[in-house]
Amino acid sequence: MDELILRPIAHIQTDFKEKFGVPRQSGRVKELQGWVVFEKEYAVREALRGLEEFSHIWLLWGFSLCKREGWSPTVRPPRLGGNKRMGVFATRSPCRPNPIGLSVVRLEGILEGKEGLMLAVSGADLVDGTPIYDIKPYLPFADVTENASGGFADSFKDYALEVELPEEWAEVLPAEKLPALLGILREDPRPAYQRDERSYGLSFAGFAVSFFVKENRVLRVTGVRREE
Amino acid sequence: MDELILRPIAHIQTDFKEKFGVPRQSGRVKELQGWVVFEKEYAVREALRGLEEFSHIWLLWGFSLCKREGWSPTVRPPRLGGNKRMGVFATRSPCRPNPIGLSVVRLEGILEGKEGLMLAVSGADLVDGTPIYDIKPYLPFADVTENASGGFADSFKDYALEVELPEEWAEVLPAEKLPALLGILREDPRPAYQRDERSYGLSFAGFAVSFFVKENRVLRVTGVRREE
């Protein structure tokens, strides 16, 4: 029956404890840092020989927060306002027959620390703890497709909100986390259906960030506090 | 334990009955045609709504010919001559902890024929019958990484043999299969370890093609006959 059982080779550590706020594709927020920590069995330095020559890598990972109970042929992509249905295979929706994700991230380095062998990466769109099933080098000669057309997704590739972050709240955050947070907020973390000015709370890097969006154009931060 | 069980959503039909001759990355031989035939359960036209707007798609598939009995941290990439070991995660080798493949192919069309619902694709590097676990749109804004460096793989991206195909043998093939066959032969199908002038036989589109390679530079076809 060609079933394939995948076992995690690693887990990623990121600043996202929950799905809300995670960019909707990899590479959208290049300042986001992550650490791919290998499982004991796969923490073999030799298995990475030559990988440092590549600037980018593919991660194949599991949509671990998406419960699979049957599947739906169509989904509502958030960037289409949540009211237009597209075929699940025409989207990168997490809720798909086989809940496997694909992300290209920048490889910043290979580390051997007290947690074992790990890769430092940036630009990942993954929740903390996501299981990683495969790592492949990004091969520009095969993976870059010239003149590819991106369908309906092309129309929102430049979508971004203007972000207002008052200094009093910016100061609460460690300075090195600020560029990534601004990137996340510009991406508009609101759910597809909610396009009103209600208040939202985002958890990032151990901080609770509250905000609202004015006229679907400007996102204003109304608070930043350390989570307990 | 985060195990993930994948079930095929489709199988691909290609002209390769065996691994020998399959290009070593997708897109290398753009003339190769294939058909992604959906399993009955997933043959739902709605699940593809919007897909026709995309020029390219990702296929996630299983290395069904690679038996997994343990894993090796290093492999010998054929393009490095088969005598240099690289880490398995620095390669696209089929023999990896989770034998899952990633290929970008051109989407030529969506068909509903007597075999059911299928996608016509080109540029696939897959053996006939390979199980497909996921189809995702190729998103240029996320998947095209500018200025990516391709490590040791960059050095063989332009590798190609010169092909001599005498007219008497070219005539045996259906004309529409000729460009793809020439592409396959240019890619040098020989195994990594064998760099001598011995005779090889390739099965493609129902034909047995024999050839040898002179001075690691020119591939000469010595016969084409229909397979029984």
Side-chain angles (χ1 to χ4, degrees):
Chain A
M1 178 32 204
D2 292 336
E3 268 187 6
L4 189 59
I5 298 173
L6 305 184
R7 296 179 185 90
I9 58 162
H11 286 79
I12 197 168
Q13 295 179 354
T14 70
D15 280 325
F16 295 105
K17 296 292 172 215
E18 50 186 50
K19 219 157 70 171
F20 188 72
V22 177
R24 292 183 167 101
Q25 295 301 329
S26 61
R28 296 291 285 180
V29 183
K30 299 195 194 307
E31 298 83 359
L32 280 171
Q33 292 186 306
W35 287 266
V36 175
V37 183
F38 284 90
E39 294 295 296
K40 209 163 189 172
E41 184 186 349
Y42 300 100
V44 180
R45 187 63 183 79
E46 280 292 272
L48 304 175
R49 194 198 294 174
L51 193 66
E52 60 278 6
E53 293 179 33
F54 294 88
S55 62
H56 292 76
I57 55 176
W58 289 109
L59 303 178
L60 272 72
W61 48 277
F63 287 110
S64 47
L65 298 185
C66 195
K67 285 178 198 73
R68 176 162 58 165
E69 288 158 4
W71 69 292
S72 166
T74 58
V75 296
R76 289 184 263 221
R79 283 291 179 260
L80 293 178
N83 50 24
K84 200 172 166 185
R85 286 197 166 271
M86 301 301 284
V88 66
F89 297 125
T91 75
R92 298 279 190 106
S93 164
C95 298
R96 50 202 313 115
N98 288 307
I100 187 155
L102 176 64
S103 299
V104 55
V105 296
R106 190 169 176 86
L107 177 63
E108 303 289 352
I110 300 174
L111 310 167
E112 287 185 85
K114 64 181 191 323
E115 290 189 76
L117 185 66
M118 59 179 94
L119 307 179
V121 299
S122 60
D125 54 341
L126 281 70
V127 169
D128 189 54
T130 297
I132 309 290
Y133 296 104
D134 202 3
I135 292 164
K136 297 180 193 287
Y138 185 88
L139 303 179
F141 77 87
D143 298 331
V144 173
T145 297
E146 308 288 347
N147 306 319
S149 58
F152 65 88
D154 269 348
S155 62
F156 53 75
K157 70 179 175 198
D158 298 320
Y159 179 90
L161 295 175
E162 187 183 322
V163 175
E164 291 177 357
L165 174 55
E167 203 171 329
E168 59 176 318
W169 301 123
E171 281 171 353
V172 180
L173 274 172
E176 75 272 17
K177 298 290 183 189
L178 201 55
L181 178 65
L182 290 173
I184 293 160
L185 296 174
R186 273 185 216 112
E187 285 284 292
D188 194 353
R190 293 178 299 165
Y193 304 96
Q194 293 164 5
R195 283 284 174 267
D196 54 23
E197 303 196 359
R198 79 181 72 178
S199 184
Y200 291 96
L202 176 80
S203 167
F204 175 69
F207 291 83
V209 179
S210 53
F211 66 88
F212 71 98
V213 178
K214 293 183 281 185
E215 296 163 2
N216 282 322
R217 197 178 52 80
V218 180
L219 182 150
R220 188 174 171 85
V221 175
T222 53
V224 177
R225 59 174 176 75
R226 188 179 289 277
E227 286 169 338
E228 274 131 47
Chain B
M1 178 30 205
D2 292 337
E3 267 187 5
L4 189 59
I5 298 173
L6 305 184
R7 296 178 185 91
I9 59 161
H11 286 78
I12 196 167
Q13 295 179 354
T14 69
D15 280 324
F16 295 106
K17 295 292 172 215
E18 50 186 48
K19 220 157 69 170
F20 187 73
V22 177
R24 292 183 167 102
Q25 296 301 330
S26 62
R28 297 289 286 179
V29 183
K30 299 195 193 307
E31 297 84 359
L32 280 172
Q33 292 186 305
W35 287 266
V36 175
V37 183
F38 285 89
E39 295 293 296
K40 208 162 189 174
E41 186 186 348
Y42 300 100
V44 180
R45 187 62 184 80
E46 279 292 271
L48 304 175
R49 193 197 296 175
L51 193 66
E52 60 279 5
E53 293 179 32
F54 294 87
S55 61
H56 292 76
I57 55 176
W58 289 109
L59 302 178
L60 273 71
W61 48 279
F63 287 110
S64 47
L65 298 185
C66 195
K67 283 178 198 73
R68 176 161 58 164
E69 287 158 5
W71 69 292
S72 166
T74 58
V75 296
R76 290 185 263 223
R79 282 291 179 260
L80 294 178
N83 50 24
K84 200 173 166 186
R85 287 199 165 270
M86 302 301 283
V88 66
F89 297 126
T91 75
R92 299 280 190 104
S93 164
C95 297
R96 52 203 310 117
N98 287 308
I100 186 155
L102 176 65
S103 300
V104 54
V105 296
R106 191 172 175 84
L107 177 64
E108 304 289 351
I110 301 173
L111 311 168
E112 282 181 272
K114 64 182 188 325
E115 291 189 76
L117 185 65
M118 60 179 93
L119 306 178
V121 299
S122 60
D125 54 341
L126 280 70
V127 169
D128 188 55
T130 297
I132 309 291
Y133 296 105
D134 202 3
I135 291 165
K136 296 181 193 286
Y138 184 89
L139 303 178
F141 76 88
D143 299 331
V144 173
T145 297
E146 308 289 345
N147 307 320
S149 58
F152 65 89
D154 270 348
S155 62
F156 53 76
K157 70 180 174 196
D158 299 320
Y159 179 89
L161 295 175
E162 188 183 322
V163 175
E164 291 177 358
L165 174 53
E167 204 172 327
E168 59 175 318
W169 302 122
E171 282 172 352
V172 180
L173 275 171
E176 74 273 16
K177 297 290 182 190
L178 200 55
L181 178 65
L182 290 173
I184 293 159
L185 297 174
R186 273 185 215 113
E187 285 283 292
D188 193 353
R190 291 179 298 167
Y193 304 96
Q194 294 164 5
R195 284 285 173 266
D196 54 21
E197 302 196 358
R198 79 181 72 178
S199 183
Y200 290 95
L202 176 82
S203 168
F204 175 70
F207 291 83
V209 179
S210 52
F211 66 87
F212 71 99
V213 178
K214 293 183 279 185
E215 296 163 1
N216 283 322
R217 197 179 52 81
V218 181
L219 183 150
R220 187 173 173 85
V221 175
T222 52
V224 177
R225 59 175 175 74
R226 189 178 290 276
E227 286 169 339
E228 273 131 46

